[in-house]
């Protein structure tokens, strides 16, 4: 057998788990993208304004705090009534995101339709503003709307390209683990130990044998 063919056969014997697992993983990812429910995402923006000039850091700190409250029941109760969802369902489909250096809160809403995502984001933003401003005299800050949610152009998930890529990457991992499992650990079994007896020829004895 020629050297190139021998090299090819050796590579095939070594890498076939990866060669099989990658296309299978990619196919699984593509299949998931084909059957997964469609979801849309919309974003609404709220700004925290300090009532006293020069307290920008205070506004940023309160933005961080109110961003974490965006998904809490005390804020979601009023928003749930506007969207027709339960508080639990709305909690799973809305989140607040903040910036470490800007007094802005991004409210992200998701839903099976674009209108549902817009309605969820705007309802939670409105509810958060109302909740926070009841304490504005004590906190020294006020929440004001910056921009309402815009209707998304298309669904945010599933993504056929992303899900296929993730499936392929999972195939690489599974194939690599299969290759590692097939490799024989160094020094495990199959090696003969040399036993030397004075005045006698060296005798090869299987490792682990008891004389």
């Amino acid at each position: 057998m020629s050297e190139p063919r021998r090299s090819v056969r050796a590579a095939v014997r070594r890498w076939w788990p990866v060669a099989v697992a990658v296309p299978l993983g990619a196919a699984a990812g593509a299949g998931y993208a084909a059957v997964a429910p469609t979801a849309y995402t919309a974003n609404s923006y709220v700004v925290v304004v300090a009532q006293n000039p020069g307290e920008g850091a205070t506004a940023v700190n309160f933005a961080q705090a109110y961003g974490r409250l965006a998904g809490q029941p005390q804020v979601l109760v009023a928003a749930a009534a506007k969207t027709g969802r339960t508080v639990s369902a709305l909690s799973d489909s809305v989140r607040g995101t903040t910036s470490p250096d800007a007094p802005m809160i991004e409210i992200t809403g998701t839903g099976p339709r674009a209108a549902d995502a817009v309605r969820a984001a705007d309802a939670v933003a409105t509810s958060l503003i109302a909740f926070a401003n009841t304490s504005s005299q004590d906190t020294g800050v006020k929440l004001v709307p910056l921009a309402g949610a815009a209707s998304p152009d298309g669904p945010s998930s599933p993504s056929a390209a992303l899900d296929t890529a993730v499936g392929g990457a999972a195939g690489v991992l599974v194939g690599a683990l299969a290759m590692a499992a097939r490799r024989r650990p160094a020094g495990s079994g199959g090696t003969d130990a040399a036993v030397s007896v004075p005045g006698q020829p060296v005798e090869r004895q299987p490792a682990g044998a008891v004389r």
Side-chain angles (χ1 to χ4, degrees):
M1 183 183 297
S2 64
E3 185 62 28
R5 292 185 61 186
R6 187 178 295 109
S7 299
V8 171
R9 289 172 64 90
V12 170
R13 285 196 301 269
R14 180 179 181 184
W15 293 98
W16 73 262
V18 174
V20 172
V22 170
L24 288 178
Y32 170 80
V35 301
T38 301
Y40 291 82
T41 301
N43 299 313
S44 186
Y45 298 91
V46 176
V47 172
V48 180
V49 179
Q51 295 182 345
N52 298 322
E55 295 186 354
T58 300
V60 172
N61 292 335
F62 273 103
Q64 300 282 335
Y66 284 128
R68 289 190 289 269
L69 289 176
Q72 298 303 310
Q74 57 266 41
V75 173
L76 296 179
V77 168
K82 295 180 180 179
T83 60
R85 303 187 194 182
T86 64
V87 171
S88 177
L90 196 59
S91 176
D92 292 336
S93 58
V94 175
R95 70 177 186 274
T97 306
T98 59
S99 170
D101 53 6
M104 184 177 68
I105 305 170
E106 180 185 63
I107 308 296
T108 301
T110 60
R113 298 177 301 176
D116 295 330
V118 170
R119 190 178 300 111
D122 283 343
V124 172
T126 301
S127 181
L128 179 63
I129 291 171
F131 173 82
N133 287 347
T134 58
S135 305
S136 60
Q137 291 185 352
D138 297 325
T139 60
V141 298
K142 186 176 182 180
L143 272 63
V144 296
L146 176 63
S151 181
D153 295 331
S156 55
S157 66
S159 170
L162 178 60
D163 291 335
T164 301
V166 171
V172 173
L173 177 60
V174 172
L177 292 175
M179 287 176 57
R182 291 176 65 244
R183 292 177 180 173
R184 192 175 189 176
S188 63
T191 59
D192 294 340
V195 180
S196 177
V197 179
Q200 298 293 332
V202 176
E203 178 184 354
R204 305 295 296 183
Q205 181 177 349
V210 180
R211 294 186 61 87

